[in-house]
Amino acid sequence: MTTVLALNPLSATDLLTSFGTIGILVVLFAETGLLIGFFLPGDSLLFTAGLLCATGAGSLHLSLPWVLLAAAAGALLGAQVGFWIGRRAGQALQARAQRPKVATGMRRAEELFTRYGPAKAIVLARFIPVVRTVLNPVAGALHTPVRTFTFWQVLGGLVWTVGLVLAGYALGAFIPGVDQYLLPVIALVVIISLIPLALEILRERRRRPDPSR
């Protein structure tokens, strides 16, 4: 009970220490399939899991094949569930999106669809925090063809999950002692993962008309 109460759901290391590989599947499913999971640390969780597969941390030992399987399963199943939720309750979801971050994410998801089309938007959204949570129900609400959504979400999901896990694993395998600097490395990953979101915000501000003109 003490461990559960002390769990920080925003900490990748806490999640991995408490729940191990199954935690990866559950967290990624919630982040990509349920609007309540928009705050979960998908990027840092994947990278940290890969790093720990190579280095370990105390008694925590993760298997790379199982981590890859859990990550892919959580991300792909979550996206598909989110799509079907949006398909069946699109307008209701829009009405219930009262959280500012969720509402902003929905707007950006719709903008991605308009600007890039379904295929590119579905893949790009995997790398943008919050947007990857809301784009799947938005795709369903916009009646994206099931085959189109499924193909591109599987492609984007595999690139995202496998890419980040293997990046963490490579860092741990080729740089001795990097696990001693786990927190700074995770902080760097979080910062890097927020770059696409920051670029989207910057582009949006540049597109807005200047009221002084």
Side-chain angles (χ1 to χ4, degrees):
M1 180 64 70
T2 303
T3 302
V4 174
L5 292 175
L7 173 67
N8 177 5
L10 300 180
S11 168
T13 51
D14 276 10
L15 290 168
L16 290 169
T17 301
S18 299
F19 304 111
T21 303
I22 192 66
I24 299 171
L25 189 153
V26 173
V27 168
L28 293 189
F29 179 87
E31 188 190 14
T32 58
L34 307 173
L35 288 178
I36 59 172
F38 72 91
F39 64 90
L40 292 169
D43 292 317
S44 59
L45 183 69
L46 290 168
F47 188 89
T48 304
L51 183 63
L52 293 179
C53 285
T55 64
S59 60
L60 181 60
H61 298 284
L62 300 177
S63 165
L64 181 61
W66 282 110
V67 165
L68 290 172
L69 181 61
L76 303 188
L77 290 174
Q80 208 67 28
V81 168
F83 173 79
W84 284 111
I85 290 175
R87 190 92 159 184
R88 295 181 179 276
Q91 293 183 348
L93 282 173
Q94 189 73 33
R96 292 178 184 176
Q98 298 177 352
R99 291 178 179 268
K101 283 188 177 182
V102 175
T104 301
M106 282 189 167
R107 188 177 69 251
R108 291 202 179 102
E110 292 173 350
E111 289 174 355
L112 280 176
F113 265 87
T114 302
R115 193 185 316 167
Y116 299 116
K120 193 172 182 179
I122 292 167
V123 174
L124 287 176
R126 289 290 192 175
F127 300 89
I128 306 176
V130 182
V131 176
R132 65 170 159 261
T133 301
V134 301
L135 182 130
N136 303 314
V138 166
L142 295 176
H143 298 286
T144 303
V146 176
R147 289 185 179 181
T148 299
F149 175 81
T150 302
F151 177 82
W152 291 107
Q153 78 94 348
V154 168
L155 178 63
L158 290 176
V159 171
W160 177 54
T161 56
V162 174
L164 279 176
V165 170
L166 291 183
Y169 184 84
L171 184 67
F174 295 109
I175 301 182
V178 70
D179 54 312
Q180 298 177 14
Y181 306 96
L182 190 58
L183 290 179
V185 169
I186 294 173
L188 179 61
V189 172
V190 172
I191 293 172
I192 293 174
S193 70
L194 291 175
I195 290 176
L197 183 59
L199 291 176
E200 282 296 317
I201 294 173
L202 184 60
R203 290 191 189 109
E204 183 178 345
R205 289 182 177 177
R206 286 178 176 175
R207 289 198 303 270
R208 290 177 183 172
D210 188 346
S212 63
R213 293 182 180 178

